[in-house]
Amino acid sequence: MKKNELSESLDFISLDIETTGLEKEHCEVIEIGAVKYEKGVETGRLSTFLKTTKPLPDFIKQLTHITDEQTEKGMFPKDAFVELQRFVGSQVLLCHNAEFDLPFLAYHFEKYDLFPMSNLYWDTLEIARIYQSFLTNHKLSTVAAFFQLENEEAHRAINDAEITAKILIRELQFIEEYIPVPVNYQLSQIAHLAMMPSALSFFLDKVVEFQRTNALLKKKTSLWKIDNQHLISHTVSDAKPLEINDIFKQDGFLGKQFPNYEFRPGQLEMAEAVKDSFQKDEYLLVEAGTGIGKSFAYLIPAIQVAIEKKEKVVISTNTKNLQEQLMGKDLPSICRILPLPFKALLLKGRDNYLCEKRWQEIMFDFGKILNRQELEGLLYLVTWREFSQTGDISENGAFDRSRYSTLWKKLLADRYFCPGKKCASYGHCHLMELRQEQESANLLIVNHSLLLTDILNENTTLGKYRYLIVDEAHNLPQIASRHLGINLSYGDFSSFFSLLSHSGKNQQSGLIPSIHQAAEKSMLPPNKITLVIKLCELITNRLSEGRDMMLELFQYATAIVKDQGTYGKHRIKKMDDYPHLTDLFTKALEYWNELDKEVAHLHLQMSEFNVNQFPDYDSHLANLEGIRNRLTEFENELQKLIEPDMVNFAYWLENTGFTESAYPTASFNYAPLEVNELLAKSLYSVVDSIVFTSATIAIRGVFKYFVQQMGLNLMETKIVRERVVLSPFVFERQSALLIAGFLPEPNDHFFPAQSISVLRDVLEASNVGSMVLFTSYKDLNFVYDSLEKELFEKDIPLLAQGKGASRSAILNQFRDHGKGVLLGTSSFWEGIDVQGESLSLLIIYKLPFQVPSEPIVEAYIEKIEKDGKNSFMNYILPNALLKLRQGFGRLIRSKTDRGIVLIMDNRVVTKQYGKYFKEVLPTKCHEMKNILELENAVAKFFRKM
């Protein structure tokens, strides 16, 4: 190892434990591993199993591969803990996720009457979050992979302890190479003020001390940058026009570029239809079956039209996964194979981007402006800001926007407080850089939320555009309903108050105190200075009153949800039922009106000043304008909530599920039941041509339901064409659709037990990669608990949504194993692409009907019934049909895939409406009369594979 390396300056003991579970009060330590490092070199290790009072849980055996025989031969716990204390001594401890390991050990030390270890400790989880914030997660395996470290026996204490130590050494080398002294010094200051439980500040002090001592011996720190995945700029020296047919046909351009290219007539058909609709300024609805390759079918004509007409094309998606596919896979492929010069830009809403001006203001005096929790969050932003080329917080896998929401609201690029070109940080503003790139971009990739926000704000973000492609269009009606409404939480108001004025250590900060301070330094006449100061003090005092008032309002709302709500939600049907809520709203509106008058008075007085007499005059005046605009928006929203339209809107309270300190957790929600007229007025009237596409927007080949939901039938002058492009897959040959008709109905009290019996038998008969889709976590958890033990005994991994691992981690493990069982709810019904044998059996536990008690569903049902229509046939059933088609689409993802879809809900064959479910699925339905027939059908199908 080279001399003068940072790793040589630190001594520590890396520690890891394995346990029988997560709850220290009820679980036991089964293995201890510790590795001692001195001056960057391993000098000793401790590894031992511990005896347990009962057999190990199956899932722990599966996770760790530790056996009952190994623990039976282990040390008695007290002896092992004493040995650990002897080995550790007074050295600094190192853990990965010390918040789990050390409290667990401390509890068991106390249990055996041992003195607790009071050692200082470092946490590589915490350190990686600070320096590798760009990783999607910071699990031990993920961080190890980043540093190219292999851990062949993960979840074994000694191995994990060794990897943790190696991670720290690599981390120190990373810091030396990429993190300059000023950044580490800043981190050290923040860590001291945040008073982290770990010895992070001590670690950072050591880093800074070493860097300063060795500054003359080191080369200049390299510049690390996160890859900019928001921009694709493709230049072509010999660009030439190409016809759609020349690109997609059997021996066309794509066929010549891809060795294994398969000509898909549907892809050519869709591409020609997209190009034609843009050229004729028409609207197009395209249902593109699985395997069509629809992204290429709309991207290539979109690029062509953008070039030919010198117009940008906006492409909107629902999921982040599809955005990543377009920007990370599809568009780069087009760059490689087609001589088409273009620029594509990924755009998000302003609240995703860091404001450099607000960052500088916070960092100037963060110790006085931020509380301890906000300082903790700030630690995970410092190096990310240095590395980022976009300022998009979604790059940051370490920063939890829910946990640190108040901090992020102080830092995001708020449209009300953006001075634009007048900003002192304009030259370093990521948002302004995006805006400049946007002017010359051919394609703008956005999500549905930004598209809808832009509609409400009259195209202030995307600018005017004539051509739009909406992919995953089946999600747009539901998203539009939620997004075009109101969602207000206490955090929205608390952050606003803190922005205006915040009491720190012996000092106030914020927009209003800064005007106060500027007035004292100004060259204004004394009477004007006195007036400004008086108005600032009046507003500041008024803010304290507002905090208390809004806190009372949201505390009362939280109490309503707690006492009367179901699953964290409570619908408000009549305001007369909540007189105290009405009183609180009335007082709030009066308050906001008075505050607005006072801010308006200050703004009026300042607007008459000479710009040269008042420091930062333009900035202060712009901030007051922003405050007034935000006040107006709050007033308008509160007015709608106190006088709601209960006929056309759903109104409910919802528990956010996350509490920050003493914050009340309820939010007010107000959403339109129908968005057809709003879209017709605000979108269709200004966009010449729109392509709506999805694998599921038609029902039995008819688009009527989607057309009515979206208000496309309200257009009088536009031509709307419809096209169903069939999948190239032969579902009758590649798949079988089976219905467990012998089971009782899902609401029958015998269904749960019998469904488990069927699942057990079918999984055994198939022995293939299987996914079970649920409509509720209640059912998922029941099945998981029922099957966990026996699947473990058969060495079959049982993976489940909500059981610790992330969605992507579950999917990766499922793909890799090949014969696992995955249990998923709503988000697994679509957007999941598992090709090959890893997914050969898809089980639909219950038909995906919406929950009728969901506030917005319940309100819409009432509206439909009042209009004299059948809510089931006109709303509940069509949504369930589309959802089932999405679920079915998870199975066959390529021409070589084969598998079975099993629907365990017998209503498909017992109810009159069941015929519609049969008709919308792409293969013939076979009803199974008994479990033996089902087992035989499953076994026979997979024997042929």
Side-chain angles (χ1 to χ4, degrees):
M1 189 172 285
K2 295 179 293 183
K3 294 297 180 184
N4 299 313
E5 283 195 352
L6 180 51
S7 59
E8 294 181 355
S9 67
L10 302 179
D11 298 337
F12 59 89
I13 291 178
S14 183
L15 171 66
D16 186 69
I17 61 174
E18 299 300 330
T19 68
T20 58
L22 301 178
E23 298 177 352
K24 58 182 181 289
E25 296 86 358
H26 308 293
C27 300
E28 301 176 83
V29 180
I30 58 176
E31 186 185 18
I32 294 174
V35 183
K36 182 181 293 186
Y37 269 78
E38 296 175 297
K39 309 301 181 186
V41 178
E42 180 184 334
T43 59
R45 57 174 54 201
L46 169 69
S47 177
T48 184
F49 292 109
L50 283 72
K51 292 184 183 296
T52 57
T53 59
K54 49 190 173 182
L56 301 180
D58 293 334
F59 77 95
I60 291 296
K61 293 178 183 177
Q62 187 177 68
L63 180 69
T64 65
H65 301 293
I66 296 174
T67 66
D68 289 319
E69 291 75 21
Q70 288 173 311
T71 57
E72 286 172 6
K73 297 176 182 178
M75 296 178 69
F76 287 103
K78 184 172 184 178
D79 294 339
F81 296 146
V82 170
E83 179 66 15
L84 176 63
Q85 284 182 318
R86 182 200 62 76
F87 182 77
V88 167
S90 60
Q91 283 280 30
V92 174
L93 294 176
L94 177 71
C95 300
H96 194 86
N97 193 11
E99 288 183 4
F100 173 78
D101 292 315
L102 298 185
F104 208 106
L105 283 173
Y107 177 85
H108 287 275
F109 274 39
E110 183 179 351
K111 181 178 175 181
Y112 287 99
D113 298 322
L114 298 173
F115 288 109
M117 293 189 297
S118 57
N119 305 58
L120 295 176
Y121 69 91
W122 299 325
D123 191 337
T124 49
L125 174 64
E126 186 175 70
I127 294 168
R129 283 175 173 165
I130 291 171
Y131 290 109
Q132 285 82 42
S133 57
F134 45 81
L135 295 178
T136 54
N137 65 69
H138 296 83
K139 295 185 298 184
L140 185 68
S141 58
T142 304
V143 180
F146 172 76
F147 286 120
Q148 299 180 323
L149 296 170
E150 293 186 6
N151 188 7
E152 295 180 357
E153 291 191 65
H155 301 295
R156 288 296 303 273
I158 190 63
N159 299 86
D160 286 353
E162 182 179 1
I163 287 294
T164 300
K166 290 180 178 179
I167 283 175
L168 182 66
I169 292 171
R170 294 289 179 90
E171 193 72 76
L172 293 168
Q173 293 169 351
F174 180 91
I175 293 169
E176 274 193 271
E177 185 169 357
Y178 297 115
I179 312 299
V181 178
V183 173
N184 284 317
Y185 178 68
Q186 199 171 60
L187 286 167
S188 173
Q189 287 183 303
I190 297 168
H192 277 285
L193 292 169
M195 292 186 284
M196 305 292 282
S198 68
L200 177 66
S201 55
F202 171 56
F203 171 81
L204 292 168
D205 288 344
K206 286 277 190 182
V207 169
V208 172
E209 179 187 1
F210 177 88
Q211 286 187 313
R212 284 177 169 170
T213 304
N214 293 275
L216 296 177
L217 303 175
K218 292 289 179 182
K219 64 177 183 180
K220 187 177 179 181
T221 305
S222 306
L223 190 64
W224 175 279
K225 287 294 180 185
I226 303 173
D227 291 339
N228 185 355
Q229 298 182 355
H230 289 54
L231 176 66
I232 295 175
S233 187
H234 182 48
T235 57
V236 177
S237 57
D238 57 343
K240 56 184 177 181
L242 291 169
E243 295 295 327
I244 289 292
N245 185 58
D246 293 335
I247 296 172
F248 289 97
K249 67 183 181 181
Q250 181 72 55
D251 55 348
F253 209 90
L254 291 179
K256 294 175 181 176
Q257 297 296 319
F258 288 117
N260 300 318
Y261 177 74
E262 292 182 3
F263 169 62
R264 287 168 280 187
Q267 188 179 49
L268 172 58
E269 179 187 349
M270 179 176 172
E272 289 180 330
V274 172
K275 182 74 175 287
D276 191 54
S277 68
F278 281 161
Q279 289 177 331
K280 295 178 179 177
D281 288 347
E282 295 176 347
Y283 280 38
L284 175 66
L285 308 180
V286 183
E287 178 168 284
T290 310
I292 289 295
K294 66 175 168 33
S295 56
F296 264 51
Y298 64 67
L299 286 173
I300 290 174
I303 294 169
Q304 289 181 323
V305 167
I307 295 170
E308 292 167 9
K309 297 199 173 190
K310 294 181 172 57
E311 295 276 357
K312 63 186 174 189
V313 178
V314 176
I315 299 173
S316 181
T317 76
N318 179 52
T319 62
K320 181 182 177 181
N321 286 345
L322 182 53
Q323 284 188 337
E324 290 175 350
Q325 177 189 316
L326 296 180
M327 295 298 292
K329 178 183 176 184
D330 296 334
L331 286 169
S333 294
I334 292 174
C335 289
R336 290 192 297 271
I337 62 177
L338 289 180
L340 293 174
F342 69 91
K343 179 189 287 187
L345 186 68
L346 174 64
L347 281 181
K348 298 184 179 180
R350 293 185 68 108
D351 61 351
N352 289 281
Y353 297 101
L354 177 73
C355 172
E356 185 64 22
K357 172 178 175 287
R358 299 175 84 178
W359 174 268
Q360 296 296 342
E361 291 169 350
I362 292 286
M363 297 308 289
F364 180 73
D365 207 2
F366 52 78
K368 295 178 179 178
I369 296 173
L370 304 179
N371 60 36
R372 278 181 59 185
Q373 187 176 46
E374 290 170 333
L375 287 164
E376 178 186 315
L378 190 63
L379 284 168
Y380 307 128
L381 293 176
V382 174
T383 57
W384 164 75
R385 174 186 164 271
E386 294 287 325
F387 296 154
S388 179
Q389 298 186 64
T390 66
D392 176 9
I393 191 61
S394 64
E395 293 175 338
N396 191 326
F399 188 81
D400 186 334
R401 285 179 65 175
S402 297
R403 179 174 175 80
Y404 307 116
S405 61
T406 58
L407 172 62
W408 184 244
K409 285 175 181 176
K410 291 175 182 177
L411 291 169
L412 62 82
D414 192 318
R415 63 191 175 100
Y416 291 119
F417 301 100
C418 178
K421 293 183 179 179
K422 295 180 181 179
C423 181
S425 300
Y426 178 78
H428 307 286
C429 176
H430 291 296
L431 205 56
M432 291 304 110
E433 290 176 6
L434 283 172
R435 294 289 181 267
Q436 292 169 5
E437 296 286 3
Q438 185 177 332
E439 292 177 6
S440 57
N442 306 109
L443 304 182
L444 298 182
I445 312 296
V446 304
N447 62 20
H448 294 346
S449 295
L450 177 55
L451 177 71
L452 294 163
T453 300
D454 193 58
I455 291 170
L456 288 178
N457 296 328
E458 299 178 346
N459 303 111
T460 54
T461 299
L462 302 181
K464 291 186 178 181
Y465 55 92
R466 294 176 55 202
Y467 304 104
L468 169 66
I469 296 171
V470 180
D471 199 349
E472 301 177 312
H474 63 280
N475 290 294
L476 193 58
Q478 182 181 1
I479 292 173
S481 179
R482 290 295 294 261
H483 207 78
L484 298 177
I486 296 171
N487 173 269
L488 282 178
S489 67
Y490 178 71
D492 295 316
F493 294 96
S494 176
S495 298
F496 179 68
F497 289 136
S498 295
L499 179 65
L500 267 57
S501 179
H502 179 78
S503 297
K505 299 174 182 176
N506 305 318
Q507 180 179 326
Q508 282 191 318
S509 59
L511 301 181
I512 301 302
S514 67
I515 294 175
H516 184 155
Q517 294 158 16
E520 293 176 335
K521 300 174 184 177
S522 72
M523 303 295 291
L524 295 172
N527 63 321
K528 294 289 185 183
I529 294 176
T530 301
L531 177 60
V532 170
I533 291 174
K534 182 179 178 181
L535 288 171
C536 287
E537 290 175 345
L538 181 65
I539 292 169
T540 301
N541 293 334
R542 176 79 71 177
L543 295 178
S544 178
E545 176 190 344
R547 281 190 177 92
D548 294 339
M549 182 177 296
M550 300 314 292
L551 182 62
E552 183 182 3
L553 171 64
F554 282 92
Q555 283 176 335
Y556 181 64
T558 301
I560 292 174
V561 178
K562 182 179 179 181
D563 296 339
Q564 304 176 42
T566 304
Y567 296 111
K569 297 179 183 179
H570 178 71
R571 183 178 163 218
I572 295 176
K573 299 180 181 180
K574 290 190 301 181
M575 287 300 289
D576 292 345
D577 295 338
Y578 307 90
H580 186 54
L581 185 61
T582 301
D583 291 342
L584 292 172
F585 268 130
T586 302
K587 292 177 183 177
L589 270 172
E590 291 172 356
Y591 167 80
W592 288 105
N593 187 262
E594 289 301 313
L595 182 60
D596 190 19
K597 288 179 181 177
E598 289 158 3
V599 174
H601 188 189
L602 178 59
H603 181 266
L604 178 64
Q605 293 297 323
M606 287 190 59
S607 64
E608 298 175 354
F609 295 164
N610 186 315
V611 64
N612 297 319
Q613 292 181 307
F614 202 92
D616 297 323
Y617 175 78
D618 289 337
S619 176
H620 291 306
L621 203 62
N623 284 336
L624 285 174
E625 290 172 2
I627 293 171
R628 292 209 62 200
N629 289 334
R630 190 67 181 100
L631 284 169
T632 300
E633 184 174 28
F634 275 140
E635 285 184 75
N636 291 338
E637 290 173 333
L638 290 172
Q639 188 65 53
K640 289 177 182 177
L641 293 177
I642 196 175
E643 296 177 348
D645 175 0
M646 296 298 196
V647 176
N648 298 302
F649 284 74
Y651 188 11
W652 73 98
L653 304 175
E654 183 170 342
N655 192 316
T656 59
F658 183 85
T659 177
E660 213 171 290
S661 63
Y663 278 11
T665 57
S667 62
F668 288 89
N669 298 270
Y670 184 66
L673 299 177
E674 296 178 319
V675 296
N676 49 0
E677 293 183 0
L678 195 153
L679 291 174
K681 177 183 176 182
S682 302
L683 180 62
Y684 309 150
S685 62
V686 295
V687 179
D688 292 346
S689 180
I690 304 180
V691 174
F692 295 96
T693 185
S694 166
T696 55
I697 51 174
I699 298 175
R700 293 181 294 166
V702 178
F703 292 84
K704 181 180 178 181
Y705 182 66
F706 181 79
V707 165
Q708 291 177 340
Q709 278 190 308
M710 295 294 294
L712 293 166
N713 56 321
L714 302 179
M715 295 192 301
E716 297 178 355
T717 58
K718 287 291 182 184
I719 295 174
V720 181
R721 301 198 183 277
E722 301 174 357
R723 186 76 61 100
V724 175
V725 183
L726 298 177
S727 170
F729 303 149
V730 185
F731 290 100
E732 287 288 349
R733 180 175 57 80
Q734 294 181 249
S735 65
L737 173 58
L738 310 179
I739 312 296
F742 56 89
L743 281 173
E745 289 194 10
N747 60 355
D748 190 298
H749 67 279
F750 289 111
F751 177 81
Q754 291 191 34
S755 70
I756 290 298
S757 177
V758 169
L759 281 171
R760 182 184 297 115
D761 292 343
V762 168
L763 292 173
E764 183 176 346
S766 62
N767 192 30
V768 295
S770 307
M771 181 187 292
V772 190
L773 295 178
F774 297 86
T775 56
S776 73
Y777 274 107
K778 179 183 177 182
D779 289 335
L780 183 151
N781 291 332
F782 168 73
V783 170
Y784 181 87
D785 293 339
S786 302
L787 295 179
E788 178 190 10
K789 182 176 180 63
E790 55 193 284
L791 290 183
F792 167 77
E793 291 172 349
K794 295 174 183 176
D795 200 27
I796 299 174
L798 179 62
L799 309 166
Q801 189 175 2
K803 297 294 183 183
S806 66
R807 182 174 182 263
S808 58
I810 290 172
L811 275 172
N812 288 336
Q813 193 175 346
F814 181 62
R815 287 191 187 98
D816 292 343
H817 189 274
K819 291 189 177 181
V821 177
L822 190 156
L823 313 181
T825 59
S826 55
S827 66
F828 280 79
W829 284 74
E830 58 181 284
I832 301 298
D833 190 358
V834 181
Q835 296 186 19
E837 296 181 0
S838 293
L839 177 51
S840 297
L841 174 62
L842 179 74
I843 301 174
I844 309 293
Y845 192 69
K846 292 180 182 177
L847 293 175
F849 289 115
Q850 292 169 296
V851 180
S853 60
E854 182 74 16
I856 198 164
V857 175
E858 183 183 62
Y860 193 45
I861 288 173
E862 290 176 6
K863 177 176 172 55
I864 293 173
E865 298 287 352
K866 285 178 182 178
D867 292 341
K869 298 177 182 178
N870 185 313
S871 60
F872 181 79
M873 297 301 293
N874 288 276
Y875 177 52
I876 299 295
L877 181 60
N879 275 294
L881 294 173
L882 292 172
K883 186 79 170 180
L884 182 65
R885 294 186 63 209
Q886 282 288 334
F888 185 98
R890 297 317 94 213
L891 182 67
I892 305 299
R893 306 301 298 175
S894 73
K895 286 188 175 182
T896 58
D897 281 351
R898 296 187 75 243
I900 288 177
V901 173
L902 169 63
I903 299 177
M904 299 181 65
D905 194 326
N906 74 351
R907 289 175 291 181
V908 174
V909 292
T910 62
K911 298 294 184 181
Q912 188 174 359
Y913 60 74
K915 63 182 181 181
Y916 298 110
F917 289 101
K918 296 178 186 178
E919 291 171 357
V920 299
L921 295 176
T923 189
K924 185 178 179 181
C925 173
H926 300 277
E927 180 185 355
M928 302 289 103
K929 302 295 185 181
N930 52 59
I931 184 61
L932 183 60
E933 184 180 357
L934 176 58
E935 288 179 15
N936 289 336
V938 170
K940 182 179 178 181
F941 182 93
F942 288 117
R943 275 200 301 268
K944 294 180 179 179
M945 287 184 63

